[in-house]
Every structure is written in C-alpha cells, then in structure tokens.
Amino acid sequence: MTYPETQLHHSLPLFLICDNLRDPGNLGTILRSAAGAGCSKVLLTKGCVDAWEPKVLRAGMGAHFQVPVINNLEWETVLNYLPPDTRVHVADNCGLYAQAQMSTKASDHGWVCDRRFLKFHKFEEEEDIETGDSKGWLPEIEVQSYDLDWTEAPAAVVIGGETHGVSLESLQLAESTGGKRLLIPVVPGVDSLNSAMAASILLFEGKRQLRLRVEHLNRDRRYH
C-alpha cells in the first residue's frame, strides 16, 4: 500500500506494538489514535484481532489507510520492523515494586496498581526452594511516570489487551532494548483505563515530547 504524502511527512519516530488485543472496537480506536499522533508504524503480535476485521475497520475510521499496520507477528520478529536503536516501552502500571521504584510519595499522587495485572504479577517474586531466598523471574524494568522523557531514542510502546495485560515477551523485549514501564497515574478507586485510552494518552504524550525536542533543537541552533 501507498500512504498519503502528508501523513508520511508528519510521521514521527514513534511506533505502537499491540500485544494480544482482542477487542475490535479497541483496536480500531487505537489505530485511529496512532494515525492521529503520527505513528510511523503499528505492529500486531499473534493473538490480536485481525486489523482488517469489519468492526476494526469501522472503528478505525480510515486509519488503516493513514498508517502502516503489520499483522500477526511473532515476538522474535518484532525488532525486524523497528529501527535498530529503538527502545521498547510497556504501558504497565502495576508490578509489586512499581510504586517503590517510582517514589516514596507515589501513593500521594494516586499512582495505584491496575487490577488487570495482579494475576500476572503476583508471581513477580518467587522463593528459591533450596536456599529459601526470594528471587524475581520477571525482567527488571525501571518504572517511570508517562510524562517524563522517554523519546530520546526512537520509541515503541506496547499496549496489552484488556484481559491479560502485557505479555512476558513484551517485558523481555523492553528489558533488552533499555525500555521503561510507563505508568499512567489514576486516582484511588478507579480500576483502570482501557487499552484504547491508555494508548492514546501515551502516543500523544510521545508526540508532545518529540515536538518539544525539536523546538529546543531549533532554539539552540538559532543561538549558535
């Protein structure tokens, strides 16, 4: 497929990876946001709903013809579709250590765990049977607030499905590329944001950060 020159001109070093997204409406909405934010590419791993399913097309409102979408990828091949220096970040705001890693004041700001991830992360630390010592088996990835800078290198954001959240493979990929776990703060009592909303917030935050980076670069050039 060919894409509009205007869209290609405004494309950013920003990529989206959909991880086991099964709801057609959510995926269509996410594609629409990706096109609006200027994503260079959207990658769908195996387990996601087909991007060309009629309900996805309807919710996408033409986004399929604005941003390249690559379907049905194995995790082992994902990096083949990204620039060599891309950092993969995950939209994952739980984990047993998330608040401690963020700040001792995290709870004051309403940074709370998302219940969707509790099943997955309750085994984040396990006990060694022989020694009795506790050890983590999930990748150790720094947690940071979504509005701190994470676009210094080409950035790919992983959005997990509503039911299972992000996969172990996505966390391993984030760890191997130096990515972060991006935390979107919600006030206490709110269970979670849905996948489409989280994707939109992160993509447009990435767009804002990249715009500021360009503005600072242009300002520095004027002064020199």
Side-chain angles (χ1 to χ4, degrees):
M1 286 177 58
T2 58
Y3 297 88
E5 287 296 326
T6 303
Q7 187 72 18
L8 295 176
H9 176 72
H10 290 284
S11 289
L12 301 171
L14 189 60
F15 304 84
L16 183 66
I17 303 172
C18 296
D19 181 5
N20 209 27
L21 274 169
R22 299 182 182 181
D23 183 88
N26 271 345
L27 180 56
T29 302
I30 286 171
L31 294 178
R32 191 175 177 183
S33 290
C39 266
S40 291
K41 194 180 298 180
V42 178
L43 309 180
L44 274 60
T45 59
K46 282 185 179 293
C48 288
V49 63
D50 184 1
W52 297 93
E53 198 264 358
K55 291 182 180 179
V56 181
L57 284 168
R58 189 155 52 244
M61 295 292 289
H64 295 69
F65 308 104
Q66 300 289 326
V67 60
V69 181
I70 302 174
N71 252 326
N72 209 34
L73 294 178
E74 298 282 359
W75 278 104
E76 293 78 11
T77 68
V78 165
L79 286 180
N80 297 337
Y81 296 89
L82 300 171
D85 54 346
T86 300
R87 292 181 183 172
V88 177
H89 308 280
V90 293
D92 177 1
N93 63 340
C94 196
L96 296 180
Y97 309 110
Q99 293 189 27
Q101 289 174 336
M102 281 291 304
S103 164
T104 55
K105 295 290 186 179
S107 58
D108 294 343
H109 294 281
W111 291 327
V112 297
C113 283
D114 180 336
R115 292 179 188 173
R116 285 185 303 170
F117 300 111
L118 290 181
K119 288 183 181 179
F120 184 74
H121 289 297
K122 68 181 179 181
F123 301 113
E124 189 159 353
E125 188 173 276
E126 62 181 6
E127 186 173 297
D128 189 303
I129 297 176
E130 294 183 2
T131 66
D133 295 331
S134 294
K135 60 178 181 179
W137 62 270
L138 285 182
E140 293 186 7
I141 308 169
E142 181 183 347
V143 179
Q144 74 170 47
S145 179
Y146 80 105
D147 56 354
L148 298 180
D149 191 11
W150 46 269
T151 58
E152 65 275 5
V157 177
V158 179
I159 297 293
E162 293 285 339
T163 305
H164 301 292
V166 293
S167 63
L168 177 60
E169 291 84 357
S170 71
L171 295 173
Q172 291 170 334
L173 189 59
E175 181 184 46
S176 69
T177 60
K180 307 286 181 63
R181 286 159 66 166
L182 302 178
L183 181 69
I184 301 174
V186 294
V187 299
V190 176
D191 186 58
S192 68
L193 299 177
N194 82 352
S195 298
M197 184 63 71
S200 299
I201 290 172
L202 292 175
L203 291 176
F204 279 90
E205 171 60 22
K207 179 182 177 71
R208 182 192 70 83
Q209 292 182 14
L210 289 167
R211 186 187 72 245
L212 290 177
R213 193 176 299 280
V214 171
E215 290 175 357
H216 290 159
L217 182 61
N218 290 338
R219 189 179 304 120
D220 291 342
R221 284 175 177 169
R222 285 199 302 270
Y223 289 141
H224 288 85

PDB file of all heavy atoms in Angstrom, residues 28-57:
ATOM      1  N   GLY A  28      -9.552  -0.733  16.647  1.00  0.00           N
ATOM      2  CA  GLY A  28      -9.864   0.310  15.676  1.00  0.00           C
ATOM      3  C   GLY A  28      -9.616   1.694  16.232  1.00  0.00           C
ATOM      4  O   GLY A  28      -9.047   2.569  15.553  1.00  0.00           O
ATOM      5  N   THR A  29     -10.026   1.916  17.482  1.00  0.00           N
ATOM      6  CA  THR A  29      -9.803   3.207  18.128  1.00  0.00           C
ATOM      7  C   THR A  29      -8.314   3.485  18.293  1.00  0.00           C
ATOM      8  O   THR A  29      -7.847   4.615  18.083  1.00  0.00           O
ATOM      9  CB  THR A  29     -10.495   3.233  19.511  1.00  0.00           C
ATOM     10  OG1 THR A  29     -11.888   2.987  19.342  1.00  0.00           O
ATOM     11  CG2 THR A  29     -10.293   4.568  20.202  1.00  0.00           C
ATOM     12  N   ILE A  30      -7.550   2.471  18.655  1.00  0.00           N
ATOM     13  CA  ILE A  30      -6.100   2.612  18.817  1.00  0.00           C
ATOM     14  C   ILE A  30      -5.437   2.973  17.489  1.00  0.00           C
ATOM     15  O   ILE A  30      -4.568   3.846  17.430  1.00  0.00           O
ATOM     16  CB  ILE A  30      -5.507   1.315  19.404  1.00  0.00           C
ATOM     17  CG1 ILE A  30      -5.861   1.217  20.892  1.00  0.00           C
ATOM     18  CG2 ILE A  30      -4.006   1.251  19.206  1.00  0.00           C
ATOM     19  CD1 ILE A  30      -5.522  -0.112  21.524  1.00  0.00           C
ATOM     20  N   LEU A  31      -5.858   2.322  16.412  1.00  0.00           N
ATOM     21  CA  LEU A  31      -5.295   2.644  15.103  1.00  0.00           C
ATOM     22  C   LEU A  31      -5.605   4.088  14.708  1.00  0.00           C
ATOM     23  O   LEU A  31      -4.767   4.784  14.132  1.00  0.00           O
ATOM     24  CB  LEU A  31      -5.826   1.677  14.045  1.00  0.00           C
ATOM     25  CG  LEU A  31      -5.403   0.215  14.197  1.00  0.00           C
ATOM     26  CD1 LEU A  31      -6.039  -0.639  13.111  1.00  0.00           C
ATOM     27  CD2 LEU A  31      -3.877   0.079  14.159  1.00  0.00           C
ATOM     28  N   ARG A  32      -6.803   4.532  15.040  1.00  0.00           N
ATOM     29  CA  ARG A  32      -7.195   5.913  14.745  1.00  0.00           C
ATOM     30  C   ARG A  32      -6.313   6.887  15.518  1.00  0.00           C
ATOM     31  O   ARG A  32      -5.856   7.899  14.976  1.00  0.00           O
ATOM     32  CB  ARG A  32      -8.660   6.096  15.109  1.00  0.00           C
ATOM     33  CG  ARG A  32      -9.299   7.386  14.635  1.00  0.00           C
ATOM     34  CD  ARG A  32     -10.777   7.362  14.955  1.00  0.00           C
ATOM     35  NE  ARG A  32     -11.426   8.617  14.573  1.00  0.00           N
ATOM     36  CZ  ARG A  32     -12.708   8.870  14.806  1.00  0.00           C
ATOM     37  NH1 ARG A  32     -13.467   7.951  15.391  1.00  0.00           N
ATOM     38  NH2 ARG A  32     -13.239  10.029  14.439  1.00  0.00           N
ATOM     39  N   SER A  33      -6.042   6.589  16.784  1.00  0.00           N
ATOM     40  CA  SER A  33      -5.162   7.437  17.588  1.00  0.00           C
ATOM     41  C   SER A  33      -3.732   7.397  17.059  1.00  0.00           C
ATOM     42  O   SER A  33      -3.038   8.424  17.037  1.00  0.00           O
ATOM     43  CB  SER A  33      -5.183   6.993  19.045  1.00  0.00           C
ATOM     44  OG  SER A  33      -6.417   7.283  19.644  1.00  0.00           O
ATOM     45  N   ALA A  34      -3.273   6.212  16.643  1.00  0.00           N
ATOM     46  CA  ALA A  34      -1.915   6.077  16.116  1.00  0.00           C
ATOM     47  C   ALA A  34      -1.735   6.927  14.863  1.00  0.00           C
ATOM     48  O   ALA A  34      -0.714   7.607  14.688  1.00  0.00           O
ATOM     49  CB  ALA A  34      -1.614   4.615  15.813  1.00  0.00           C
ATOM     50  N   ALA A  35      -2.742   6.906  13.997  1.00  0.00           N
ATOM     51  CA  ALA A  35      -2.681   7.732  12.791  1.00  0.00           C
ATOM     52  C   ALA A  35      -2.697   9.217  13.160  1.00  0.00           C
ATOM     53  O   ALA A  35      -1.940  10.018  12.599  1.00  0.00           O
ATOM     54  CB  ALA A  35      -3.848   7.397  11.867  1.00  0.00           C
ATOM     55  N   GLY A  36      -3.530   9.592  14.121  1.00  0.00           N
ATOM     56  CA  GLY A  36      -3.629  10.989  14.527  1.00  0.00           C
ATOM     57  C   GLY A  36      -2.368  11.509  15.187  1.00  0.00           C
ATOM     58  O   GLY A  36      -2.015  12.684  15.041  1.00  0.00           O
ATOM     59  N   ALA A  37      -1.672  10.644  15.930  1.00  0.00           N
ATOM     60  CA  ALA A  37      -0.454  11.058  16.623  1.00  0.00           C
ATOM     61  C   ALA A  37       0.747  11.107  15.690  1.00  0.00           C
ATOM     62  O   ALA A  37       1.768  11.710  16.024  1.00  0.00           O
ATOM     63  CB  ALA A  37      -0.168  10.117  17.783  1.00  0.00           C
ATOM     64  N   GLY A  38       0.645  10.484  14.525  1.00  0.00           N
ATOM     65  CA  GLY A  38       1.766  10.466  13.584  1.00  0.00           C
ATOM     66  C   GLY A  38       2.687   9.285  13.749  1.00  0.00           C
ATOM     67  O   GLY A  38       3.875   9.359  13.429  1.00  0.00           O
ATOM     68  N   CYS A  39       2.155   8.164  14.250  1.00  0.00           N
ATOM     69  CA  CYS A  39       2.957   6.945  14.384  1.00  0.00           C
ATOM     70  C   CYS A  39       3.523   6.529  13.024  1.00  0.00           C
ATOM     71  O   CYS A  39       2.846   6.616  12.006  1.00  0.00           O
ATOM     72  CB  CYS A  39       2.106   5.799  14.915  1.00  0.00           C
ATOM     73  SG  CYS A  39       2.172   5.621  16.680  1.00  0.00           S
ATOM     74  N   SER A  40       4.747   6.019  13.037  1.00  0.00           N
ATOM     75  CA  SER A  40       5.340   5.531  11.802  1.00  0.00           C
ATOM     76  C   SER A  40       4.781   4.175  11.403  1.00  0.00           C
ATOM     77  O   SER A  40       4.703   3.853  10.215  1.00  0.00           O
ATOM     78  CB  SER A  40       6.860   5.417  11.955  1.00  0.00           C
ATOM     79  OG  SER A  40       7.450   6.688  12.062  1.00  0.00           O
ATOM     80  N   LYS A  41       4.386   3.381  12.403  1.00  0.00           N
ATOM     81  CA  LYS A  41       4.001   2.012  12.105  1.00  0.00           C
ATOM     82  C   LYS A  41       3.288   1.414  13.311  1.00  0.00           C
ATOM     83  O   LYS A  41       3.572   1.777  14.453  1.00  0.00           O
ATOM     84  CB  LYS A  41       5.260   1.193  11.806  1.00  0.00           C
ATOM     85  CG  LYS A  41       5.082  -0.152  11.158  1.00  0.00           C
ATOM     86  CD  LYS A  41       6.436  -0.817  10.938  1.00  0.00           C
ATOM     87  CE  LYS A  41       7.306   0.003   9.989  1.00  0.00           C
ATOM     88  NZ  LYS A  41       8.632  -0.647   9.781  1.00  0.00           N
ATOM     89  N   VAL A  42       2.343   0.493  13.055  1.00  0.00           N
ATOM     90  CA  VAL A  42       1.682  -0.253  14.126  1.00  0.00           C
ATOM     91  C   VAL A  42       1.927  -1.742  13.879  1.00  0.00           C
ATOM     92  O   VAL A  42       1.665  -2.253  12.777  1.00  0.00           O
ATOM     93  CB  VAL A  42       0.167   0.021  14.171  1.00  0.00           C
ATOM     94  CG1 VAL A  42      -0.494  -0.812  15.264  1.00  0.00           C
ATOM     95  CG2 VAL A  42      -0.101   1.504  14.401  1.00  0.00           C
ATOM     96  N   LEU A  43       2.431  -2.426  14.895  1.00  0.00           N
ATOM     97  CA  LEU A  43       2.710  -3.854  14.806  1.00  0.00           C
ATOM     98  C   LEU A  43       1.732  -4.617  15.677  1.00  0.00           C
ATOM     99  O   LEU A  43       1.506  -4.250  16.831  1.00  0.00           O
ATOM    100  CB  LEU A  43       4.141  -4.149  15.256  1.00  0.00           C
ATOM    101  CG  LEU A  43       5.260  -3.318  14.619  1.00  0.00           C
ATOM    102  CD1 LEU A  43       6.616  -3.737  15.175  1.00  0.00           C
ATOM    103  CD2 LEU A  43       5.239  -3.441  13.101  1.00  0.00           C
ATOM    104  N   LEU A  44       1.151  -5.682  15.128  1.00  0.00           N
ATOM    105  CA  LEU A  44       0.215  -6.521  15.870  1.00  0.00           C
ATOM    106  C   LEU A  44       0.835  -7.899  16.043  1.00  0.00           C
ATOM    107  O   LEU A  44       1.192  -8.560  15.060  1.00  0.00           O
ATOM    108  CB  LEU A  44      -1.115  -6.665  15.121  1.00  0.00           C
ATOM    109  CG  LEU A  44      -2.176  -5.573  15.331  1.00  0.00           C
ATOM    110  CD1 LEU A  44      -1.653  -4.218  14.910  1.00  0.00           C
ATOM    111  CD2 LEU A  44      -3.442  -5.905  14.554  1.00  0.00           C
ATOM    112  N   THR A  45       0.987  -8.328  17.293  1.00  0.00           N
ATOM    113  CA  THR A  45       1.549  -9.651  17.539  1.00  0.00           C
ATOM    114  C   THR A  45       0.450 -10.705  17.440  1.00  0.00           C
ATOM    115  O   THR A  45      -0.742 -10.399  17.429  1.00  0.00           O
ATOM    116  CB  THR A  45       2.191  -9.718  18.931  1.00  0.00           C
ATOM    117  OG1 THR A  45       1.205  -9.421  19.929  1.00  0.00           O
ATOM    118  CG2 THR A  45       3.337  -8.732  19.041  1.00  0.00           C
ATOM    119  N   LYS A  46       0.872 -11.953  17.330  1.00  0.00           N
ATOM    120  CA  LYS A  46      -0.081 -13.067  17.266  1.00  0.00           C
ATOM    121  C   LYS A  46      -0.989 -13.039  18.493  1.00  0.00           C
ATOM    122  O   LYS A  46      -0.544 -12.796  19.604  1.00  0.00           O
ATOM    123  CB  LYS A  46       0.659 -14.400  17.201  1.00  0.00           C
ATOM    124  CG  LYS A  46       1.221 -14.729  15.834  1.00  0.00           C
ATOM    125  CD  LYS A  46       1.830 -16.124  15.833  1.00  0.00           C
ATOM    126  CE  LYS A  46       2.382 -16.477  14.459  1.00  0.00           C
ATOM    127  NZ  LYS A  46       1.341 -16.621  13.444  1.00  0.00           N
ATOM    128  N   GLY A  47      -2.269 -13.283  18.277  1.00  0.00           N
ATOM    129  CA  GLY A  47      -3.244 -13.232  19.356  1.00  0.00           C
ATOM    130  C   GLY A  47      -4.127 -12.010  19.276  1.00  0.00           C
ATOM    131  O   GLY A  47      -5.190 -11.970  19.903  1.00  0.00           O
ATOM    132  N   CYS A  48      -3.693 -11.001  18.513  1.00  0.00           N
ATOM    133  CA  CYS A  48      -4.532  -9.813  18.325  1.00  0.00           C
ATOM    134  C   CYS A  48      -5.644 -10.111  17.319  1.00  0.00           C
ATOM    135  O   CYS A  48      -5.497 -10.959  16.434  1.00  0.00           O
ATOM    136  CB  CYS A  48      -3.695  -8.640  17.795  1.00  0.00           C
ATOM    137  SG  CYS A  48      -2.571  -7.908  19.000  1.00  0.00           S
ATOM    138  N   VAL A  49      -6.736  -9.385  17.436  1.00  0.00           N
ATOM    139  CA  VAL A  49      -7.798  -9.469  16.450  1.00  0.00           C
ATOM    140  C   VAL A  49      -7.249  -8.995  15.105  1.00  0.00           C
ATOM    141  O   VAL A  49      -6.348  -8.159  15.040  1.00  0.00           O
ATOM    142  CB  VAL A  49      -9.021  -8.619  16.886  1.00  0.00           C
ATOM    143  CG1 VAL A  49      -8.651  -7.145  16.974  1.00  0.00           C
ATOM    144  CG2 VAL A  49     -10.198  -8.816  15.952  1.00  0.00           C
ATOM    145  N   ASP A  50      -7.783  -9.538  14.015  1.00  0.00           N
ATOM    146  CA  ASP A  50      -7.349  -9.155  12.679  1.00  0.00           C
ATOM    147  C   ASP A  50      -7.631  -7.673  12.435  1.00  0.00           C
ATOM    148  O   ASP A  50      -8.765  -7.207  12.625  1.00  0.00           O
ATOM    149  CB  ASP A  50      -8.095 -10.010  11.650  1.00  0.00           C
ATOM    150  CG  ASP A  50      -7.626  -9.753  10.223  1.00  0.00           C
ATOM    151  OD1 ASP A  50      -6.712  -8.940  10.018  1.00  0.00           O
ATOM    152  OD2 ASP A  50      -8.203 -10.375   9.305  1.00  0.00           O
ATOM    153  N   ALA A  51      -6.600  -6.941  12.027  1.00  0.00           N
ATOM    154  CA  ALA A  51      -6.763  -5.498  11.806  1.00  0.00           C
ATOM    155  C   ALA A  51      -7.776  -5.181  10.712  1.00  0.00           C
ATOM    156  O   ALA A  51      -8.326  -4.076  10.681  1.00  0.00           O
ATOM    157  CB  ALA A  51      -5.416  -4.873  11.450  1.00  0.00           C
ATOM    158  N   TRP A  52      -8.034  -6.152   9.831  1.00  0.00           N
ATOM    159  CA  TRP A  52      -8.945  -5.908   8.708  1.00  0.00           C
ATOM    160  C   TRP A  52     -10.328  -6.505   8.954  1.00  0.00           C
ATOM    161  O   TRP A  52     -11.143  -6.584   8.040  1.00  0.00           O
ATOM    162  CB  TRP A  52      -8.339  -6.447   7.413  1.00  0.00           C
ATOM    163  CG  TRP A  52      -7.072  -5.718   7.084  1.00  0.00           C
ATOM    164  CD1 TRP A  52      -5.795  -6.091   7.424  1.00  0.00           C
ATOM    165  CD2 TRP A  52      -6.955  -4.466   6.411  1.00  0.00           C
ATOM    166  NE1 TRP A  52      -4.896  -5.155   6.991  1.00  0.00           N
ATOM    167  CE2 TRP A  52      -5.579  -4.151   6.351  1.00  0.00           C
ATOM    168  CE3 TRP A  52      -7.884  -3.586   5.834  1.00  0.00           C
ATOM    169  CZ2 TRP A  52      -5.108  -2.981   5.756  1.00  0.00           C
ATOM    170  CZ3 TRP A  52      -7.405  -2.438   5.227  1.00  0.00           C
ATOM    171  CH2 TRP A  52      -6.039  -2.139   5.190  1.00  0.00           C
ATOM    172  N   GLU A  53     -10.586  -6.893  10.184  1.00  0.00           N
ATOM    173  CA  GLU A  53     -11.916  -7.374  10.558  1.00  0.00           C
ATOM    174  C   GLU A  53     -12.891  -6.189  10.450  1.00  0.00           C
ATOM    175  O   GLU A  53     -12.531  -5.056  10.768  1.00  0.00           O
ATOM    176  CB  GLU A  53     -11.834  -7.922  11.989  1.00  0.00           C
ATOM    177  CG  GLU A  53     -12.986  -8.824  12.382  1.00  0.00           C
ATOM    178  CD  GLU A  53     -14.080  -8.080  13.129  1.00  0.00           C
ATOM    179  OE1 GLU A  53     -13.938  -6.878  13.379  1.00  0.00           O
ATOM    180  OE2 GLU A  53     -15.078  -8.731  13.472  1.00  0.00           O
ATOM    181  N   PRO A  54     -14.120  -6.410   9.980  1.00  0.00           N
ATOM    182  CA  PRO A  54     -15.047  -5.294   9.718  1.00  0.00           C
ATOM    183  C   PRO A  54     -15.255  -4.334  10.879  1.00  0.00           C
ATOM    184  O   PRO A  54     -15.287  -3.114  10.689  1.00  0.00           O
ATOM    185  CB  PRO A  54     -16.353  -6.010   9.347  1.00  0.00           C
ATOM    186  CG  PRO A  54     -15.909  -7.300   8.744  1.00  0.00           C
ATOM    187  CD  PRO A  54     -14.680  -7.704   9.512  1.00  0.00           C
ATOM    188  N   LYS A  55     -15.358  -4.841  12.113  1.00  0.00           N
ATOM    189  CA  LYS A  55     -15.568  -3.948  13.252  1.00  0.00           C
ATOM    190  C   LYS A  55     -14.340  -3.084  13.526  1.00  0.00           C
ATOM    191  O   LYS A  55     -14.463  -1.933  13.963  1.00  0.00           O
ATOM    192  CB  LYS A  55     -15.936  -4.760  14.498  1.00  0.00           C
ATOM    193  CG  LYS A  55     -17.317  -5.403  14.430  1.00  0.00           C
ATOM    194  CD  LYS A  55     -17.631  -6.153  15.713  1.00  0.00           C
ATOM    195  CE  LYS A  55     -19.016  -6.798  15.652  1.00  0.00           C
ATOM    196  NZ  LYS A  55     -19.320  -7.557  16.895  1.00  0.00           N
ATOM    197  N   VAL A  56     -13.161  -3.634  13.263  1.00  0.00           N
ATOM    198  CA  VAL A  56     -11.933  -2.852  13.430  1.00  0.00           C
ATOM    199  C   VAL A  56     -11.887  -1.749  12.381  1.00  0.00           C
ATOM    200  O   VAL A  56     -11.553  -0.590  12.672  1.00  0.00           O
ATOM    201  CB  VAL A  56     -10.676  -3.755  13.322  1.00  0.00           C
ATOM    202  CG1 VAL A  56      -9.412  -2.928  13.524  1.00  0.00           C
ATOM    203  CG2 VAL A  56     -10.737  -4.887  14.343  1.00  0.00           C
ATOM    204  N   LEU A  57     -12.224  -2.105  11.147  1.00  0.00           N
ATOM    205  CA  LEU A  57     -12.246  -1.112  10.069  1.00  0.00           C
ATOM    206  C   LEU A  57     -13.216   0.023  10.380  1.00  0.00           C
ATOM    207  O   LEU A  57     -12.902   1.202  10.174  1.00  0.00           O
ATOM    208  CB  LEU A  57     -12.642  -1.785   8.756  1.00  0.00           C
ATOM    209  CG  LEU A  57     -11.563  -2.631   8.076  1.00  0.00           C
ATOM    210  CD1 LEU A  57     -12.180  -3.459   6.959  1.00  0.00           C
ATOM    211  CD2 LEU A  57     -10.459  -1.741   7.525  1.00  0.00           C
TER     212      LEU A  57
END
